[in-house]
Structures are given as C-alpha cells and as structure tokens.
Amino acid sequence: MLRNVAVVLVNGFLPFEFGTICEVFGVDRADDRLPPYDFAVVAGEPPPLRAHNDFTVQPSSGLERLAEADLIALPAVDDERLGIGAGQPAARTGPDAPQLFPEDLLEALREAVRRGAKVLSVCTGAFILGEAGLLDERRCTTHWRSAAELARRYPQAKVDPDVLYVDDDPVITSAGTAAGIDACLYLVRKEQGSRIANGIARRMVVPPHRDGGQAQYVDQPVAAVCDGTLRELLEWLRAHLDQPLAVRQLAARANMSERTFARRFVQETGTTPQRWLTGQRILLAQQLLEESDETIDAIADKAGFGNATALRHHFRAWRGTTPNAYRRMFSSAATPGVLTDR
C-alpha cells in the first residue's frame, strides 16, 4: 500500500531534494486519473527549520504524523550539518559519538519500520537512516561524494557507491539529487504499477527509468531529462520501439554522421543508443506484462525484441527475472507478494 506519505525536514535540509519528493507525492494529478496521496511535511526538529539556502519552513505536522505513514521520505542534509567536507573535523563514530539528529526522530523512524512502513532517503538523507541504525546489514547508497564517509560512520552498512538507488525492503536509499526521483518512481512502479509511475513521470517530464548507476556521473554529469538537440528524436523513438532501428538510420534522421551521433547521444543521455533503446523496450515490455494479457511472443514483437527468446534474454539481464515471473508478481491480476533484494 502506498497512500499516506510523510516527508521529514531537519535543519540544513536541501530544498531541491525536498522538492523532488513533494513533486512526486504532493501534487494532485486527478485530472490525469492518477491516485492522490495523503501527503504531509513533518518537522523532525522544533520548527522553524532552516534550509541550506538560509530560508525557513514551518511544517504543520510533528513526529506523531509518522505513526500513520506508509512511506517516510528523508531529503538530503547539507555537509555542514553532517560535518563533512574541507575544514570539517572527522566525525566521531561509536557509542560515545555525539548524536547528529534528535533521538525522538530516530526512534520514530525505527518504530515506523517495525510496524511495516517504508523509509526512503534522497542523497545524504541516508545519514539519518544510518544514525537510526536502519542501514545495519542492509545494502544502501548515497551521493558518490559522501559514500566513503557513510561507510566509515556506519561500518555495518553495505554501501554501494555506483548505483542510482537501492531497495533493501523496507529501506530505499538513493544517490544524489535526481536519483531521488528515480527511487520515488521505482517505488511507485513497484507498489502501484507502471501506468501510475509512467503517468507521474510524464507530468514531471522525466524518464520513468534511467539506465546504469551514478558512476557514469562522477566525471561527466548528465541531466535526467534530455533537453538538447536529440529531444525530438528520442520522442520519435519511444513511439516506434516496435521497429528495427539501427544507429545508421538514427544518425541519418538526426542529420549527423554516425560518429557524431554516437558521441552526442552519450553526451545528452548518459548511455549509448543501443542501450537506451533496449532500456526503453524493457520498460514497454514491463508495461504490457503488467497491464495486458498479451502472449510473451506478442509482447516481444510490440516491444521491438522480435521474438520471445530475445525478450527473455534481455529481461533477465536487465531485471534479474523472467517475463513470466515478472507478470506473476506485478500484473493487476497477480496475488500481492513481497519483494526483497536479499
């Protein structure tokens, strides 16, 4: 169930990461026939709460609101609050280390997980989960710049610095900034299906899924949305995924040489044309598996894989399961199940 969502603010929160959570769960999209969320902003410390940019927010809800939330989201916190960065003394670890966040907030998070709620962090919001002990023996991530410090402070956490997000149910952690959108949309897809996740992504003008991990952004950051010269081509490609599409044809359609096209494509999307196409075809196959009773052969054809064997091969490589197993788990007719990364 994903109906009741609370986002918790503490002093030093980062506005953009806070805004991404609000944009996914706090906007009424009834005109697009998308279900609303009971959404609240919660003060994790006595308000008013100071943002990194030095404005303040006065949330209308206190920690008691977390007792009814299905999902509790934690935006990033600035480096000064965490004691990270140049000129900052190394933060102490261990039982005698000073507490970074109020105990009543940490206990509220622990209690929420005990009763079955999910918690989701964006970027350095993972440090709040670490302080609560919720990362112990769990896979997790944060922004690549802070991953080593997260692992140092919470040695029982299994920190992966290369991924965009990690679902170690019921704890979801995400990398920097826009990866929070990826994690939120992933959770919506997992809990409510691709139609709703894709509908939210369409309104936000962001991809419903991005390939690869954050390692590709360390030296060459790439925007989540392609607003460059290839935007129209990508929209055309999404509408023609069932067709055989070669790089030579795409380069010609973009009025570029193959070499220039390949280079430009990586610059604007962060991945190669072939991998981008495969990822989009996987997404289409997922949607058809969830929302239709088409045969695997028919889905393979509509998604551009040509045959069921190719679909199974790519689906297992990308999703770690088979199309039939995915359908049993996510189809609207399927019996609800529990997913885990363990």
Side-chain angles (χ1 to χ4, degrees):
M1 181 185 298
L2 186 59
R3 297 177 181 171
N4 193 309
V5 179
V7 55
V8 178
L9 297 184
V10 297
N11 284 305
F13 74 90
L14 299 188
F16 183 88
E17 286 78 352
F18 168 52
T20 61
I21 299 168
C22 294
E23 181 67 21
V24 175
F25 297 111
V27 175
D28 185 351
R29 299 182 175 93
D31 54 337
D32 282 339
R33 296 181 293 112
L34 297 173
Y37 299 98
D38 186 354
F39 182 78
V41 179
V42 171
E45 299 177 300
L49 297 169
R50 177 188 54 79
H52 172 70
N53 300 61
D54 211 27
F55 64 85
T56 59
V57 175
Q58 182 87 30
S60 58
S61 300
L63 290 174
E64 68 281 354
R65 176 65 172 74
L66 302 186
E68 60 190 77
D70 305 316
L71 170 67
I72 299 170
L74 301 161
V77 183
D78 66 24
D79 288 354
E80 182 180 357
R81 174 69 187 266
L82 296 174
I84 298 175
Q88 297 280 359
R92 290 167 50 199
T93 60
D96 298 326
Q99 203 162 40
L100 285 174
F101 303 101
E103 177 58 31
D104 55 352
L105 166 59
L106 303 181
E107 179 55 31
L109 293 173
R110 291 190 286 260
E111 175 57 29
V113 169
R114 284 194 289 265
R115 68 172 172 79
K118 296 183 185 298
V119 290
L120 181 151
S121 66
V122 181
C123 193
T124 52
F127 283 79
I128 304 176
L129 298 177
E131 286 289 302
L134 294 175
L135 300 184
D136 292 354
E137 304 305 323
R138 284 192 167 96
R139 291 180 58 234
C140 59
T141 194
T142 187
H143 194 289
W144 57 268
R145 291 178 64 252
S146 305
E149 181 64 15
L150 186 71
R152 187 188 73 82
R153 293 192 189 185
Y154 313 109
Q156 294 185 64
K158 303 173 183 177
V159 181
D160 186 344
D162 294 331
V163 294
L164 292 175
Y165 54 84
V166 173
D167 177 5
D168 198 329
D169 199 17
V171 176
I172 301 102
T173 52
S174 63
T177 311
I181 301 175
D182 297 312
C184 290
L185 291 176
Y186 159 80
L187 183 59
V188 171
R189 180 181 296 276
K190 174 181 174 179
E191 296 293 320
Q192 298 177 285
S194 61
R195 185 189 71 82
I196 295 173
N198 291 348
I200 294 173
R202 190 174 300 113
R203 278 283 295 266
M204 292 177 65
V205 198
V206 299
H209 171 79
R210 284 194 295 165
D211 295 338
Q214 60 173 322
Q216 65 183 304
Y217 301 102
V218 174
D219 293 322
Q220 183 181 345
V222 179
V225 183
C226 177
D227 289 325
T229 57
L230 299 180
R231 182 177 58 183
E232 292 184 7
L233 175 65
L234 297 188
E235 290 301 318
W236 182 88
L237 288 175
R238 289 190 181 99
H240 296 83
L241 294 174
D242 59 326
Q243 299 179 14
L245 299 166
V247 173
R248 174 179 52 81
Q249 297 170 295
L250 302 183
R253 188 174 185 88
N255 295 315
M256 300 178 189
S257 69
E258 289 186 49
R259 186 173 180 178
T260 299
F261 174 75
R263 183 175 66 252
R264 184 71 58 80
F265 200 97
V266 171
Q267 289 174 344
E268 295 194 16
T269 69
T271 190
T272 65
Q274 193 58 51
R275 185 168 177 78
W276 187 92
L277 279 171
T278 302
Q280 294 299 312
R281 284 169 169 156
I282 290 289
L283 283 174
L284 177 56
Q286 284 181 253
Q287 182 176 347
L288 293 171
L289 288 165
E290 292 180 29
E291 299 178 5
S292 79
D293 57 2
E294 298 268 15
T295 66
I296 300 300
D297 285 296
I299 290 174
D301 185 61
K302 289 185 176 181
F305 288 106
N307 57 70
T309 300
L311 170 59
R312 292 188 187 98
H313 168 77
H314 288 290
F315 207 91
R316 182 176 286 281
W318 282 66
R319 295 293 180 257
T321 188
T322 66
N324 277 324
Y326 182 87
R327 171 173 266 170
R328 285 193 297 271
M329 182 65 73
F330 288 103
S331 170
S332 58
T335 300
V338 177
L339 295 181
T340 178
D341 276 351
R342 294 185 179 182

